[in-house]
Amino acid sequence: MSFNTAFAPLSRLLTAVCAAALLAPASSIPAQALEAKWCKDAHIRFFVGGAEGDAFATIVYNGAKQAEADLGPKIDYVFSRWNVEVMTQQLREAVAVKPDGIAMMGHPGDAAIMPLAEQAAKAGIKMIYQNVPVPKVVAAFGGGYIGAQQAEQGRALGVEAIKRAGLKAGDKAIVFGSFENENRGARERGTVAVLKEAGLEVIQISDPPAGEWASDPNLAIPTITAALLNNPDVKAVGYSGGQMLGNVLTYMRAAGKKPGEIFNFGFDTSPQVVEAFKGGWVQLAADQQPFQQGYLPILNLCQQIVLGLAPINVDTGAGFVTPENYHMVAKLAEQGLR
């Protein structure tokens, strides 16, 4: 009897066992995962970020609502007016409710979120963060991140602005941002760093900490007008969000400027930003696809809760919108999708 013949039965047994092992994970997947509304038994609390009707928050909300329609979870939507103190209190309340999962805006930062993330972890609440990363929180208590990488996107925007505006050493620029916020401000700090490295004189103007300009960009008119009047040689102005970027026409007219006289750039798209491109008021925007920041956190929380899958990390920074290509996203922006 040969070696191969003697161990043939054992070989067949091992083959059968291995095959069964390979098939086991598929057979253990809950049946509802293969059906419509497979996440219908999950309860999720979702942070939209801004106020209802806010240009950016509306796109995030639309993405989340689409995920809700597709997957079927029960979702509580939380609007915070971009106020980090309000967000922190709302997260405290969300953890107390003990939903299955929470999709949280990272604006309050690592220090504010850390103790609440610890409570969530102890309660078995699945977490994911969107729009602003909180790497220390994720390292300590897990969770994923859906959004642009703040510092990297800010630096990339600065490089692109210099190239497109023809900025050079000695030129003057104004940049608005939440500079004091450790996590959220990394984006605009990155833009400022690139401009300064190129030898520009940069005037930094901090956004109000309570998010008033994001909620109502008209409140920034006096500040922007004064900054431009006091610095008539400014070549470029960078804005910290789509709400202000979409209001550039109002700012420039209030300061007596014409389309294209100042290179206006910033972050995000919206119907208002598209119109500003059409009118020649805006020259550059970094797109971070907020629809994905609404849809993907809910999808992944459902995957974590129902299927036991791991958190995901997705960089939604999609590149730049310019006068040459804005028409490609115009219809999506008008529909509240981009």
Side-chain angles (χ1 to χ4, degrees):
M1 181 180 295
S2 69
F3 182 90
N4 289 339
T5 303
F7 285 90
L10 177 58
S11 176
R12 286 193 294 272
L13 175 60
L14 289 173
T15 299
V17 169
C18 290
L22 289 171
L23 291 172
S27 63
S28 65
I29 293 176
Q32 64 265 31
L34 306 177
E35 302 170 354
K37 311 293 184 183
W38 56 269
C39 193
K40 64 182 182 298
D41 295 327
H43 177 204
I44 294 170
R45 187 154 288 201
F46 184 90
F47 281 71
V48 181
E52 294 185 64
D54 171 278
F56 185 89
T58 295
I59 306 174
V60 175
Y61 178 71
N62 288 343
K65 289 296 290 184
Q66 186 62 58
E68 179 185 14
D70 291 347
L71 308 173
K74 178 184 183 298
I75 300 180
D76 305 323
Y77 292 98
V78 181
F79 296 88
S80 311
R81 306 188 308 280
W82 303 115
N83 186 316
V84 295
E85 293 183 359
V86 171
M87 283 187 192
T88 303
Q89 178 57 33
Q90 290 171 331
L91 178 58
R92 186 174 293 109
E93 295 166 358
V95 172
V97 172
K98 295 184 178 179
D100 299 303
I102 298 174
M104 173 64 184
M105 288 280 174
H107 295 66
D110 284 296
I113 292 176
M114 187 74 75
L116 300 174
E118 181 177 11
Q119 293 177 27
K122 289 179 179 178
I125 301 170
K126 305 297 184 184
M127 296 291 297
I128 195 164
Y129 303 91
Q130 61 262 17
N131 196 251
V132 175
V134 282
K136 294 177 183 177
V137 169
V138 170
F141 299 109
Y145 173 65
I146 310 295
Q149 294 299 320
Q150 298 283 302
E152 290 86 345
Q153 190 183 42
R155 289 191 65 87
L157 180 66
V159 170
E160 192 71 12
I162 290 171
K163 180 176 68 175
R164 287 185 167 271
L167 300 173
K168 59 186 184 301
D171 286 343
K172 187 181 292 187
I174 296 172
V175 178
F176 293 87
S178 301
F179 298 107
E180 293 77 20
N181 185 309
E182 178 185 1
N183 295 65
R184 169 61 186 84
R187 190 171 68 179
E188 287 75 33
R189 289 197 302 270
T191 300
V192 168
V194 167
L195 296 178
K196 287 185 175 180
E197 289 164 9
L200 275 76
E201 178 184 346
V202 182
I203 301 166
Q204 296 178 224
I205 300 178
S206 294
D207 297 342
E212 293 95 335
W213 289 353
S215 296
D216 184 356
N218 283 328
L219 295 176
I221 293 174
T223 300
I224 294 175
T225 302
L228 291 174
L229 292 177
N230 291 333
N231 299 277
D233 53 342
V234 161
K235 297 289 184 66
V237 178
Y239 303 87
S240 55
Q243 301 91 342
M244 292 180 70
L245 190 64
N247 209 38
V248 160
L249 180 152
T250 301
Y251 301 148
M252 294 299 106
R253 284 182 172 172
K257 303 295 182 180
K258 298 177 181 178
E261 187 174 346
I262 288 179
F263 186 92
N264 289 293
F265 67 102
F267 300 90
D268 309 330
T269 58
S270 68
Q272 294 83 4
V273 171
V274 167
E275 287 301 313
F277 269 112
K278 287 181 181 178
W281 298 99
V282 168
Q283 285 70 42
L284 176 65
D287 182 19
Q288 58 174 323
Q289 301 185 100
F291 187 89
Q292 290 190 338
Q293 296 179 22
Y295 193 99
L296 294 180
I298 291 174
L299 171 62
N300 185 238
L301 282 176
C302 283
Q303 291 172 332
Q304 292 184 56
I305 295 163
V306 179
L307 304 180
L309 297 180
I312 64 173
N313 294 280
V314 178
D315 185 347
T316 64
F320 300 108
V321 181
T322 69
E324 293 78 28
N325 68 13
Y326 77 86
H327 62 279
M328 297 175 64
V329 302
K331 184 170 291 187
L332 292 173
E334 291 167 2
Q335 295 172 343
L337 303 176
R338 191 71 175 270

